[in-house]
Amino acid sequence: MELSRRRFAVLGTGVAAGTALGPGQVPGTAAAEEPAAAPAVTPAGTGAGTAHSVTFDPYSLIVDGARLPVWSGEFHPFRLPSPSLWRDVLQKFKASGYSAVSIYVAWNYHSPAPGVYDFTGVRDLGAMLDMAAETGLFVIVRPGPYINAEVDAGGYPGWLTATAGRARTDDPTYLGHVDEWLTAVDAVVAPRQYTNGGGTVLLYQLENEYASHITDGTGARYMAHLYGKVRADGIEVPLFHNDKGRNGYWVPGSFSTGGETGRYLYAFDGYPSPTGTPVDWGYFGPGGTKGGSTASPGTPGFLAEFGGGWFDCWGGAEFNGQGYAGARSSRDAVYERRAYLTNLANGIKLQNVYMTFGGTSWGWLPAPVVYTSYDYGAAIDEARNLTSKITPMKQIGHMLTAVPDLGRLDRAADVTAADPSVKVYHLVNSETSAHAYLIRNDTGTERSTTLPLTTADGGSVTVAVRAVARDAKVLLTGIAAGSRTLRWTTAQPMTQDTIGRQDVAVLVGRPGDPVDLALECAAEPRTTVLDGAAVASYDAGAGLLRITATLSGLTRLLISGGGTDTPLLLLLADDTASAQLWRYDTPSGPVLVRGPALVRTAQAAGATLHLTGDTTADSDLEVWAPRGIDTVFWNRSKVAVTGTSSGSLAARDKLAGPPQITLPALTGWRRAAENPESAPDFDDSAWTVADKATSFSTTKVPAGGPVLFADDYGFHYGDVWYRATWTGPVDAANIALAYQTGTQGALMAWLDGAPLGTHRMPVPTSSQATTGTWAATATFALPAAAAGDGTHVLAVLVRRMAHEEDGGGSDSHKSARGLVSAAFTPAGATAAPAPTWRLQGAAATMDPARGPMNTGGLYGERNGWHLPALDDSAWQPVVFPYTDTRQGVAWYRTSFRLTIPHDVDASLGLTLTDDPARAYRAQIFLNGWNIGQYINDVGPQHTFVLPAGLLDPHGRNTLALAVLTDGTDPAGPGTVTLTAMGTAAGGTQVDLVPTYDTV
Ligand code: GAL
């Protein structure tokens, strides 16, 4: 046995750790008073021990006295097992206008055994929270204990499935385990709260969509226990629960908070269908009429999860086999915009987009309802690319900061568009007199109509609007554009501020949208159209500069004088142009950048602005920077810039895009067959004897036993082998093996070394098919040999996939996995022999880096065949496609060297393709990490992301495929290639994830 340690190695020359902080927090009014419409806050940095206050009123969260409209994206660090890439994703969130990131913390990911909690390596929650703080994002922490989340057992540890005590109740045994978990996770979270200055943790969720025991007292006692425990652990930020729909469950006062008031929020979740009229739950807030709004009048509208995509199932029925491209096209940018703006119009001031980056359910993480990829059709795809869905997210996120009036809206008098099929929501900020109009076209055809707007001076104007089919937009009156006031605008504001010597306001919309806006100007200003086409006219009587244009690319107007000293640069951007705009705050002032595919950080130092970011093609670089800045660096290289008439600094030459990446062909495969366990003379004496008679499982133990459920013997993830040994002939025609797995489970059996056959669970019809198909009986005809005297050995391999989630609170995660019973049928004249059963799952020695969900009980897994350090030189060289016709398990290994340039972020995948008639499946190991399961004849996933950090972009990598073939038809790996899934010049620094391999 040789112990080799793969050390942390600095790989990239990308962005150095420790990135720009948010700006100093803009203080609001005193907390005791109603907060004024102050600019929304962003995290003020951490580590200084500065205490902050996080409170709320019926309108919004209030942070240090200023309103914070929370615009959050969901990200699961456990679905990206490479801590360096957490920073990449978090920077993409920040760049895309999110103010917060919401994370589940999965109990099973951190706890391999009772009393054992691991927060190191890919499980380093503290490091993740620190990165979020560095990046300037608030964090919403959701540690369950139950999380659902399409993970094995809904996040419950495997070991919990074999314990007494009804989960999701106040059962003391269960609560004992829960407290152990909360103690461990809270010890990481508590020091990193925004309130104590240690981090940016802003809110904390109790449980998840808990809809059980609403009325019988059990639920209330359970929730009260969680509340008290979390508070006792030092969590002082507001707590909340996410109601599964706007039912009004677990509103403040519905359970005991130990006499404490004002630190608990009501929230709910929504996953509306992409077809039909957008869901409208009614107004949440003062005057609201439905469900949660009236049940919780003292808390602001809070959508703890709103579907930013949806998940797919084995076989791909959810999206007609298109995989997550289907999710991204049915829930596209228009769907997102329409939904989130409708939510805003309905008084929702805290929104979390589930998922914003979905990632990968690697290893044995996926729940039965999903396969490996958890891409989710999210705005950032599994390969970490920004998709077209990010544009509305960015526009809305920045708008919520740039238009503080949106933080305190009430419903106002109904307004009807001239075309009544265009729906209008009218809201007003009674303090600033700003009015907001959400217009939405629920029809399938574009509409052009007119609409009367009320202006802050009490007047009215009728404007023309274009309502794109099934789309939505916001029109506003009485809002700021730098030091001026926009009397009205039909283009949606994205950002505005004083940048350098001028004000800059960005207004956005769809290409072709007519823009009509009016600026209050005491005297006629000088207006210059710098770029594009626009018409400006001054109405001296009204004191208004009226501008009309049609959105096309980027239109620029410079407005100077007119009674205001600071000139205003108006940038009218269509969606494509706005996708290239990046707004940052530095201690020297705000920065706006145009051109690159991404800006990650912006730091001002003296006269120099340091920018880091990505280009995906040769790109412009144009910068609006704080006063005094005349020098620009891009990714640590000085850029030659010239001043422009727009008041910006523009690069003389384009920034280079990434080079063409050449990927090696995967050759040099070697093969070794295994499953020695099927042979009659295999030594199983060290295996666990199945000798239990009782179980805590919800599955009934068969009469006469023994318990065969894998979890009862400590085998919680991956494959399980069983061997039954008996002496004497069997007087029966068949052996009937009842077994349970998650979706796509399978069973293979051998008698005395000869294959009996393979049985598989059916392919689900949709991701909603959550029950009923994962228990089956495999009946095999017994060969004549079974009727012979002597010792017989039945060997059974069960691919048991995943534990069920427990969404219904019925302990369904305790449904048995593995074999349930074995019977000789029909019963013969002589009594059937009583076999001795032994079983074996994953090796007891846990892989400390990759964790317990990385491997199951295959012979190769138990003996390190997945690990890079294994010497496979004696294995048989093979060429793909390779045809295997035996029932059982064979491994294929190769290695390849990558030479990705150091300043390039190449997101790579592994693509497997073959004739779909060939029945085989492969567990894919990259450098020992189980990065997914491929089922050739089921799909739909063919490409598996190889995350940098597990993958060495500048060195040698090892692939191992553990392939199960059923022996019924020629099968075996077909074509296996590396795929470039997205390449950018720039990227973040990537450190290899350390491992401690023993082979
Ligand atoms: C929600 C649940 C999440 C996740 C989501 C669907 O109801 O809270 O954990 O399961 O549905 O992806």
Side-chain angles (χ1 to χ4, degrees):
M1 295 246 172
E2 188 201 337
L3 189 69
S4 75
R5 175 166 176 206
R6 217 166 153 228
R7 288 176 179 284
F8 263 109
V10 175
L11 291 180
T13 52
V15 178
T19 52
L21 298 178
Q25 182 187 323
V26 181
T29 53
E33 296 164 23
E34 162 104 13
V41 287
T42 54
T46 59
T50 319
H52 299 276
S53 76
V54 181
T55 60
F56 54 85
D57 72 3
Y59 291 104
S60 73
L61 219 57
I62 299 165
V63 177
D64 291 340
R67 294 201 178 280
L68 175 70
V70 175
W71 182 239
S72 167
E74 183 83 10
F75 162 50
H76 299 154
F78 56 85
R79 284 188 158 116
L80 184 57
S82 177
S84 307
L85 298 183
W86 297 343
R87 179 173 278 113
D88 175 59
V89 169
L90 293 170
Q91 289 180 339
K92 285 171 177 162
F93 274 44
K94 179 70 180 174
S96 303
Y98 287 98
S99 54
V101 56
S102 167
I103 58 164
Y104 273 137
V105 193
W107 184 358
N108 57 9
Y109 197 66
H110 295 275
S111 181
V116 183
Y117 291 92
D118 180 5
F119 289 95
T120 64
V122 300
R123 296 169 175 75
D124 195 340
L125 175 65
M128 186 273 160
L129 295 176
D130 293 344
M131 279 183 205
E134 277 170 29
T135 312
L137 289 167
F138 286 116
V139 188
I140 301 172
V141 180
R142 312 198 299 152
Y146 182 76
I147 62 169
N148 210 62
E150 289 75 70
V151 287
D152 187 281
Y156 281 145
W159 58 260
L160 192 81
T161 68
T163 57
R166 177 74 179 259
R168 310 190 76 187
T169 69
D170 61 341
D171 181 296
T173 307
Y174 168 69
L175 290 184
H177 297 307
V178 164
D179 286 357
E180 196 180 87
W181 161 238
L182 292 176
T183 300
V185 69
D186 290 345
V188 179
V189 175
R192 294 178 169 87
Q193 295 175 92
Y194 194 60
T195 42
N196 60 24
T200 51
V201 173
L202 184 74
L203 299 170
Y204 182 113
Q205 181 179 307
L206 302 177
E207 248 283 350
N208 190 84
E209 294 191 341
Y210 185 50
S212 326
H213 304 290
I214 303 295
T215 53
D216 68 7
T218 303
R221 286 192 297 276
Y222 175 42
M223 289 296 284
H225 177 90
L226 296 179
Y227 191 99
K229 167 64 181 155
V230 163
R231 286 285 184 240
D233 286 346
I235 302 297
E236 54 191 26
V237 295
L239 307 178
F240 70 98
H241 170 75
N242 59 335
D243 188 0
K244 186 176 186 165
R246 199 150 135 182
N247 308 303
Y249 297 158
W250 311 120
V251 294
S254 58
F255 61 91
S256 167
T257 50
E260 183 177 282
T261 55
R263 286 207 288 162
Y264 176 80
L265 290 156
Y266 171 72
F268 66 103
D269 293 349
Y271 288 85
S273 154
T275 56
T277 306
V279 68
D280 181 343
W281 288 289
Y283 189 62
F284 191 106
T289 52
K290 283 194 193 170
S293 64
T294 46
S296 189
T299 63
F302 183 177
L303 261 165
E305 293 176 24
F306 192 95
W310 188 243
F311 59 87
D312 197 12
C313 57
W314 282 111
E318 190 67 26
F319 300 112
N320 300 318
Q322 297 169 51
Y324 284 111
R328 202 164 275 113
S329 71
S330 61
R331 290 157 176 87
D332 58 5
V334 172
Y335 164 89
E336 301 298 343
R337 181 163 49 234
R338 176 173 89 209
Y340 295 114
L341 292 179
T342 301
N343 293 337
L344 184 67
N346 275 326
I348 304 300
K349 300 294 176 19
L350 299 93
Q351 295 201 57
N352 177 44
V353 182
Y354 186 106
M355 300 295 298
T356 292
F357 170 80
T360 307
S361 304
W362 64 282
W364 292 104
L365 262 175
V369 285
V370 290
Y371 48 86
T372 302
S373 174
Y374 198 67
D375 176 281
Y376 217 83
I380 304 175
D381 71 18
E382 189 188 1
R384 297 178 288 106
N385 299 298
L386 299 179
T387 72
S388 59
K389 287 178 64 166
I390 205 74
T391 303
M393 307 294 185
K394 183 163 84 170
Q395 293 172 347
I396 294 170
H398 284 305
M399 173 177 73
L400 291 171
T401 309
V403 186
D405 316 74
L406 296 174
R408 192 193 184 283
L409 294 176
D410 291 299
R411 271 284 166 85
D414 284 348
V415 170
T416 317
D419 178 345
S421 66
V422 175
K423 187 168 173 57
V424 183
Y425 296 77
H426 179 201
L427 301 110
V428 65
N429 183 315
S430 61
E431 290 180 341
T432 66
S433 299
H435 288 251
Y437 300 82
L438 169 86
I439 63 153
R440 202 181 66 210
N441 176 0
D442 295 338
T443 75
T445 50
E446 182 176 318
R447 308 275 164 160
S448 290
T449 187
T450 58
L451 184 73
L453 307 181
T454 302
T455 50
D457 61 346
S460 167
V461 60
T462 296
V463 292
V465 285
R466 169 177 177 244
V468 172
R470 308 192 57 72
D471 207 339
K473 64 165 74 162
V474 174
L475 281 51
L476 287 151
T477 70
I479 60 162
S483 21
R484 292 174 169 79
T485 300
L486 272 170
R487 179 74 59 89
W488 71 81
T489 171
T490 66
Q492 190 173 300
M494 177 164 129
T495 192
Q496 57 87 20
D497 222 318
T498 304
I499 307 182
R501 295 178 186 284
Q502 62 186 5
D503 292 336
V504 179
V506 180
L507 299 149
V508 299
R510 316 294 79 77
D513 273 3
V515 175
D516 177 353
L517 60 85
L519 263 182
E520 296 180 1
C521 302
E524 181 167 7
R526 277 188 314 283
T527 304
T528 317
V529 179
L530 300 171
D531 212 350
V535 176
S537 60
Y538 183 66
D539 177 342
L544 287 179
L545 178 71
R546 190 154 178 180
I547 293 165
T548 54
T550 301
L551 279 183
S552 170
L554 189 65
T555 303
R556 308 171 184 228
L557 295 102
L558 187 63
I559 296 145
S560 354
T564 309
D565 291 341
T566 314
L568 169 67
L569 178 72
L570 265 184
L571 298 175
L572 308 178
D574 69 11
D575 288 330
T576 309
S578 78
Q580 295 185 346
L581 292 173
W582 309 97
R583 188 230 148 97
Y584 274 87
D585 291 287
T586 74
S588 311
V591 171
L592 184 70
V593 181
R594 184 190 65 79
L598 175 71
V599 174
R600 296 175 179 275
T601 63
Q603 284 172 314
T608 303
L609 182 69
H610 293 274
L611 298 172
T612 64
D614 293 3
T615 54
T616 51
D618 292 352
S619 308
D620 290 347
L621 179 68
E622 182 177 8
V623 178
W624 288 269
R627 274 173 195 237
I629 297 230
D630 57 13
T631 306
V632 177
F633 278 69
W634 174 256
N635 289 342
R636 284 163 305 286
S637 294
K638 190 170 174 185
V639 179
V641 290
T642 25
T644 74
S645 56
S646 298
S648 58
L649 299 169
R652 293 203 190 125
D653 304 312
K654 288 201 181 250
L655 301 176
Q660 192 69 37
I661 300 291
T662 318
L663 297 174
L666 298 175
T667 55
W669 290 94
R670 288 178 179 273
R671 172 182 185 276
E674 44 127 291
N675 58 279
E677 301 91 337
S678 63
D681 56 356
F682 179 81
D683 179 6
D684 61 13
S685 57
W687 286 20
T688 305
V689 177
D691 54 4
K692 297 192 177 189
T694 59
S695 169
F696 295 119
S697 170
T698 52
T699 304
K700 216 165 159 285
V701 177
V707 174
L708 293 173
F709 316 153
D711 288 292
D712 286 74
Y713 299 96
F715 303 124
H716 304 302
Y717 303 110
D719 295 306
V720 194
W721 275 98
Y722 293 85
R723 282 169 56 93
T725 309
W726 69 87
T727 306
V730 178
D731 180 13
N734 305 305
I735 176 95
L737 300 169
Y739 74 117
Q740 292 187 177
T741 67
T743 317
Q744 288 308 301
L747 174 151
M748 293 181 174
W750 292 260
L751 185 79
D752 299 337
L756 290 179
T758 296
H759 186 276
R760 295 171 62 174
M761 296 285 173
V763 180
T765 50
S766 91
S767 69
Q768 301 294 351
T770 52
T771 53
T773 53
W774 311 327
T777 299
T779 302
F780 300 114
L782 284 170
D789 290 330
T791 301
H792 297 286
V793 179
L794 173 73
V796 181
L797 171 64
V798 181
R799 169 139 301 181
R800 54 98 185 262
M801 304 297 277
H803 299 96
E804 288 166 44
E805 297 173 285
D806 188 30
S810 57
D811 261 357
S812 46
H813 59 294
K814 292 184 182 172
S815 176
R817 289 297 179 259
L819 274 185
V820 173
S821 67
F824 295 107
T825 60
T830 53
T836 301
W837 283 92
R838 291 174 185 271
L839 72 162
Q840 176 66 55
T845 46
M846 213 260 295
D847 179 333
R850 302 181 184 91
M853 300 173 95
N854 193 58
T855 47
L858 291 180
Y859 181 87
E861 292 174 302
R862 302 198 312 269
N863 291 281
W865 290 18
H866 56 299
L867 297 174
L870 182 90
D871 178 4
D872 58 16
S873 57
W875 288 22
Q876 169 202 359
V878 292
V879 172
F880 286 172
Y882 182 83
T883 295
D884 205 337
T885 48
R886 69 189 274 281
Q887 173 178 297
V889 188
W891 287 67
Y892 301 82
R893 285 170 57 100
T894 191
S895 66
F896 60 94
R897 180 168 285 283
L898 290 176
T899 52
I900 307 292
H902 278 268
D903 54 357
V904 169
D905 178 1
S907 188
L908 302 188
L910 189 74
T911 302
L912 296 89
T913 48
D914 207 345
D915 173 355
R918 301 178 93 183
Y920 67 92
R921 60 177 69 197
Q923 205 68 45
I924 304 164
F925 292 93
L926 166 69
N927 295 326
W929 296 81
N930 177 351
I931 50 104
Q933 183 169 188
Y934 172 73
I935 308 186
N936 182 62
D937 55 341
V938 173
Q941 187 175 1
H942 286 272
T943 298
F944 295 76
V945 169
L946 306 174
L950 303 188
L951 184 79
D952 184 346
H954 319 296
R956 183 154 290 283
N957 295 277
T958 301
L959 282 171
L961 307 177
V963 177
L964 264 58
T965 44
D966 69 5
T968 58
D969 64 343
T975 306
V976 182
T977 53
L978 292 171
T979 307
M981 301 181 77
T983 307
T988 45
Q989 175 179 308
V990 174
D991 299 333
L992 286 185
V993 175
T995 53
Y996 311 89
D997 293 343
T998 307
V999 175

